[in-house]
Amino acid sequence: MVPTNPNGAPRIVSESDSGTPRRPGDAALASLGYPATAEDPTDASTHTFPDGGTWRTEVPSVEGPEALATVLKEAASLDVPVHRISQGSGVWMLTDAEITEMVGACAQAGVELCLFTGPRGTWDIGAGTRTSSGGAGLRARGHAAVAGCVEDAVRATELGVRCLLVADEGVLWLLHRLRAAGTLPADTTLKVSALVGPVNPASVSVLERLGADSVNIPSDLTLEHLTEIRRVSRVPLDFYLEAPDDLGGYVRMYEIAELIRRGSPIYLKFGLSKAPAIYPYGAHLRDVTLDTARERVRRGRLALDLLTRLGAHTGMAKLGSRLPGELNRFPADEPSAATPRTAAAPPAPPAQPAQPGSVPVTPGSTS
């Protein structure tokens, strides 16, 4: 018997009513003769987080203790689970006391705190990032900028931070080697910024091998692109469901279930388009920073509600989990490029003909 609504019209039964995830609008469109293309099971990711979960959550652009408190309060109010909170202005924009306060608040809430390292293109004198081509992007220009990133990493981890945001491949590799050497704590995780923008499987795979524990891929990649990445790499992906305007302003809300199916393990990032830029944060941007922090959490609630309606809300990784699992790495014990070379020995002087009655002397020997 066909189920009906109270008015006698046929009722469209959601597949999620029986515990099977569905795609948006599937049943309604099928009832009108517009069924969706059959799902290809080979598109699905075979990877998960260590506990078997397929997705975690992240609230980005949390710029200091007050914004952090706002996010945690709003998350509790709206029942939004949060695995990671990230900051975008940089370690250098926070005092030791502010970092310590954020570390403590996140530890109490069971949330990972991720802070951005050091100088990058937009904080530099290089004008390339302001050209139409983008120049060298947001990378660290020169040794001094790299040194600033390393300084931030050492300082932040000494204050208890265990996740660092990186926007340069060279800095990523150096921090990974410092982690392997014990200069940075072994449980430090390295997150690659959306500013790097890897857009193909080979690039993501290289970042994983350079030490990345999660990689923020651009939100304009297609679902097929995610499948391609997952065929060569299992590094967790960070993905803006709603990207800031300076990253394109894309909104991928209705693809949330498919993003998880193809991209697992994946961090669902609750970004915000049509919002003012707040980097680097200061007190002059306090009101807009707190307002946008609250709205990011609300966007998260909307996304998770949609995930529930689609019957795809299971699979969330355990709250408090943060490590990525086993990943592929380049060997981190190569000798430093700065190792001095041994100076070549000067050429031997030409042999002198022996004098009558003398003993020949070999150069370098003692007589």
Side-chain angles (χ1 to χ4, degrees), residues 14-23 52-57 79 81 83 255-258 260-261 266 268 270 300-319:
S14 166
E15 292 180 62
S16 63
D17 291 347
S18 60
T20 304
R22 65 178 180 88
R23 287 177 287 184
T54 54
W55 56 277
R56 293 173 179 167
T57 63
D79 193 22
H83 291 82
E255 295 172 283
I256 184 171
E258 191 69 358
I260 294 172
R261 189 179 78 87
I266 192 169
L268 305 174
F270 306 140
R301 181 68 269 160
L302 296 176
L304 297 179
D305 285 348
L306 174 58
L307 198 59
T308 299
R309 289 197 299 273
L310 296 175
H313 55 289
T314 59
M316 184 183 79
K318 181 181 177 182
L319 286 173

Side-chain angles (χ1 to χ4, degrees), residues 9-72:
R11 181 170 70 88
I12 297 171
V13 180
S14 166
E15 292 180 62
S16 63
D17 291 347
S18 60
T20 304
R22 65 178 180 88
R23 287 177 287 184
D26 263 5
L29 288 172
S31 72
L32 299 176
Y34 294 91
T37 303
E39 191 175 86
D40 184 351
T42 65
D43 289 340
S45 171
T46 59
H47 306 295
T48 67
F49 287 108
D51 63 2
T54 54
W55 56 277
R56 293 173 179 167
T57 63
E58 178 179 336
V59 180
S61 304
V62 182
E63 305 303 296
E66 191 174 13
L68 173 59
T70 298
V71 166
L72 294 177

Side-chain angles (χ1 to χ4, degrees), residues 67-323:
L68 173 59
T70 298
V71 166
L72 294 177
K73 179 180 179 181
E74 196 73 5
S77 174
L78 298 180
D79 193 22
V80 175
V82 178
H83 291 82
R84 177 197 281 164
I85 282 173
S86 59
Q87 174 252 20
S89 294
V91 173
W92 67 285
M93 288 296 296
L94 295 168
T95 66
D96 285 6
E98 288 171 329
I99 294 174
T100 301
E101 183 178 347
M102 294 178 75
V103 168
C106 283
Q108 185 175 358
V111 174
E112 182 175 42
L113 173 66
C114 188
L115 301 184
F116 217 151
T117 52
R120 48 194 186 272
T122 48
W123 316 138
D124 205 334
I125 60 173
T129 58
R130 296 168 180 81
T131 65
S132 58
S133 70
L138 280 296
R139 290 167 177 80
R141 298 173 71 253
H143 178 86
V146 171
C149 292
V150 171
E151 176 73 17
D152 274 358
V154 172
R155 174 183 170 223
T157 54
E158 287 178 346
L159 292 170
V161 176
R162 288 296 179 269
C163 182
L164 301 170
L165 187 52
V166 183
D168 182 278
E169 298 91 334
V171 171
L172 172 64
W173 176 236
L174 292 175
L175 295 185
H176 172 56
R177 291 180 63 197
L178 289 172
R179 175 175 59 183
T183 304
L184 298 179
D187 63 343
T188 301
T189 54
L190 303 174
K191 166 182 162 65
V192 174
S193 166
L195 304 176
V196 174
V199 291
N200 62 67
S203 295
V204 173
S205 182
V206 167
L207 291 170
E208 174 187 355
R209 291 174 180 274
L210 287 174
D213 298 296
S214 71
V215 177
N216 203 132
I217 59 174
S219 294
D220 63 347
L221 291 189
T222 67
L223 296 171
E224 180 59 31
H225 289 151
L226 265 68
T227 297
E228 292 170 353
I229 289 170
R230 279 294 168 241
R231 286 172 180 160
V232 301
S233 174
R234 70 159 306 278
V235 66
L237 301 177
D238 306 334
F239 197 94
Y240 274 107
L241 292 177
E242 182 177 346
D245 289 348
D246 61 355
L247 293 177
Y250 311 106
V251 180
R252 304 290 293 272
M253 194 81 76
Y254 271 102
E255 295 172 283
I256 184 171
E258 191 69 358
L259 291 169
I260 294 172
R261 189 179 78 87
R262 292 187 183 235
S264 168
I266 192 169
Y267 280 87
L268 305 174
K269 291 185 67 173
F270 306 140
L272 194 61
S273 63
K274 303 296 181 288
I278 57 174
Y279 302 155
Y281 170 73
H284 60 302
L285 296 170
R286 176 181 181 273
D287 291 344
V288 68
T289 298
L290 299 185
D291 288 343
T292 54
R294 278 186 286 268
E295 187 57 27
R296 285 185 182 87
V297 178
R298 179 176 173 274
R299 292 290 215 273
R301 181 68 269 160
L302 296 176
L304 297 179
D305 285 348
L306 174 58
L307 198 59
T308 299
R309 289 197 299 273
L310 296 175
H313 55 289
T314 59
M316 184 183 79
K318 181 181 177 182
L319 286 173
S321 62
R322 53 178 296 272
L323 297 178

